[in-house]
Each structure stands twice: as structure tokens, then as C-alpha cells.
Amino acid sequence: DVKVTQSSRYLVKRTGEKVFLECVQDMDHENMFWYRQDPGLGLRLIYFSYDVKMKEKGDIPEGYSVSREKKERFSLILESASTNQTSMYLCASSSSGWTGGNTEAFFGQGTRLTVV
Amino acid sequence: SQKIEQNSEALNIQEGKTATLTCNYTNYSPAYLQWYRQDPGRGPVFLLLIRENEKEKRKERLKVTFDTTLKQSLFHITASQPADSATYLCALGGNNRLAFGKGNQVVVIP
């Protein structure tokens, strides 16, 4: 069974902390994505990566960075967590030849992050 | 600006009936359109993909239409069951992005 696994289901962090959200996929996918999901705003793309060490900004990259040192792992970093980053974070992956939506995306179970 | 619109009101439907959801978009020319199902507290799960040159796609009790002239997709669940209760998201693909609508909740009443 194919899987995208996020390291934590729930996380509580303090304002100003550096936060790492980890995502691992076992499908040998080239493309990986980080979204956040907020009520009334839907899913918004933060960053994506189409290869190891490659990354591209999504629609809301401010306050975030990413790291992809290995093909199977994509990390989202909150450099200095703020309360407006309280959200559900979703990692996804898709297979090669991605041009945007031409293949399905597989999502992890999500990390609900609360910044206090 | 680009917009993807799904009905924010939940659709309550009797078991056995057909549920129909709408996804409208503006300022997009998507090459692909996808539908996902999301249960509370979980990540979205892919259901169907339809290409811009396809009018209709079916999978079991699900049917999707894609009208690039109207800029609209319709998502149908036939013979709905209580287990179909969830939020359904449409997503538009192209230009290396997959952009999601806010989702439309479906509640199937036994």
C-alpha cells in the first residue's frame, strides 16, 4: 500500500520556535508538495520540489523554507513560528512527468500544528 | 484573479439519490481537473482525473464532467450511501501547479 507519512499528527509549539515538519513517501516519486489548509481558505500551496535539492515557491512561501536532501523525504521548516501559522499542514507526492495535475497526488494524514 | 468556486453550503441528500456537486472556475485554463475526497482530520484522497479534451469520466458510482466553455465541472455520486458523507474537493491542474477549491461537504441521510 502506497504511503505518504508525516512525522506528527499533532504538534504544539511556542511562538518564535524553529519547527520542522517531516514527510516521507515510499513510492519513489520525484515530486513532493507542502500545503496548508485553513477553514474558509482551503488548501494553499506553500512549496514544492520536483527533484532532490530542487524547490519552488508556491503561493504562500513567506515564513517557510523547505529541504529535500533525499528523494523520499521533504521537510517543511518554520524559521520562527508565529500564531498565524497555526494550521493543518499536508504533504503530498506525485509521480514523474508532473506538469501540474496530470497525475494524482497522494496525501499524508496531515499535521495539525498549534502555535501558542 | 484566479478563482475556484465550490458551494460552501453542505449538500444534504437522502440515501439512494444522486448527489451533484459543482466546481466553477475563472481566469484559469486548466489542462486537467481532479476530484478528491476528504474525511475530517485526514488528508485528501484522489478520486478522478479528467483532461480538458474529455467531456466525461466515470468510475463505479462516480461521474465527472468537464465543460471548458462554461468553465465548470460537475461531480455526481449515484446511489449515494451514508459512507459517501465527506467533503469533496475539486483541483485544477496546469503550469506545474494543482490548485484546490475550498471543498463542498456532502451528508447522506439514511
Side-chain angles (χ1 to χ4, degrees):
Chain A
D1 203 18
V2 296
K3 266 199 170 168
V4 177
T5 303
Q6 295 182 228
S7 53
S8 306
R9 286 297 305 274
Y10 300 96
L11 215 50
V12 180
K13 295 292 181 180
R14 294 199 180 277
T15 302
E17 275 194 78
K18 191 168 185 176
V19 181
F20 293 85
L21 303 183
E22 307 285 346
C23 175
V24 177
Q25 50 94 2
D26 64 0
M27 295 166 279
D28 201 35
H29 282 168
E30 281 76 13
N31 307 287
M32 297 187 74
F33 310 84
W34 276 106
Y35 288 87
R36 66 177 280 178
Q37 186 174 31
D38 301 286
L41 294 175
L43 275 135
R44 292 179 292 166
L45 182 65
I46 304 171
Y47 266 98
F48 66 100
S49 167
Y50 48 87
D51 202 352
V52 175
K53 295 193 187 295
M54 306 300 282
K55 61 186 179 186
E56 268 200 43
K57 291 180 181 179
D59 300 317
I60 51 161
E62 296 79 19
Y64 303 95
S65 61
V66 290
S67 171
R68 190 146 180 224
E69 296 295 319
K70 292 186 177 182
K71 190 176 186 181
E72 67 270 17
R73 187 179 296 269
F74 192 34
S75 303
L76 179 70
I77 303 154
L78 286 66
E79 297 291 342
S80 176
S82 63
T83 53
N84 63 12
Q85 293 178 309
T86 291
S87 186
M88 169 74 108
Y89 289 88
L90 289 157
C91 173
S93 72
S94 72
S95 59
S96 63
W98 174 267
T99 58
N102 57 316
T103 59
E104 66 181 283
F106 293 85
F107 282 85
Q109 76 277 28
T111 296
R112 186 161 294 283
L113 172 68
T114 302
V115 182
V116 298
Chain B
S1 63
Q2 295 176 322
K3 269 189 181 177
I4 304 169
E5 292 177 338
Q6 295 186 256
N7 198 337
S8 57
E9 279 189 35
L11 176 66
N12 296 310
I13 190 158
Q14 209 68 35
E15 182 176 4
K17 300 289 187 186
T18 296
T20 298
L21 305 180
T22 304
C23 176
N24 294 303
Y25 59 92
T26 54
N27 295 322
Y28 268 107
S29 295
Y32 312 95
L33 192 145
Q34 300 185 12
W35 283 88
Y36 288 78
R37 170 189 172 133
Q38 188 173 24
D39 292 288
R42 316 294 293 183
V45 174
F46 171 81
L47 296 173
L48 280 165
L49 180 154
I50 187 166
R51 293 172 169 74
E52 60 178 337
N53 59 352
E54 296 176 315
K55 296 289 184 194
E56 184 179 296
K57 206 78 171 279
R58 289 175 188 260
K59 179 183 173 183
E60 297 171 355
R61 294 185 296 110
L62 306 179
K63 185 177 91 170
V64 170
T65 63
F66 190 11
D67 189 325
T68 55
T69 303
L70 287 179
K71 296 187 180 295
Q72 181 181 81
S73 174
L74 299 179
F75 176 81
H76 306 272
I77 308 171
T78 57
S80 57
Q81 303 167 359
D84 295 327
S85 298
T87 296
Y88 292 86
L89 307 171
C90 73
L92 273 55
N95 198 28
N96 274 331
R97 305 290 178 95
L98 191 61
F100 285 83
K102 294 174 187 176
N104 195 177
Q105 187 182 7
V106 172
V107 178
V108 181
I109 303 159

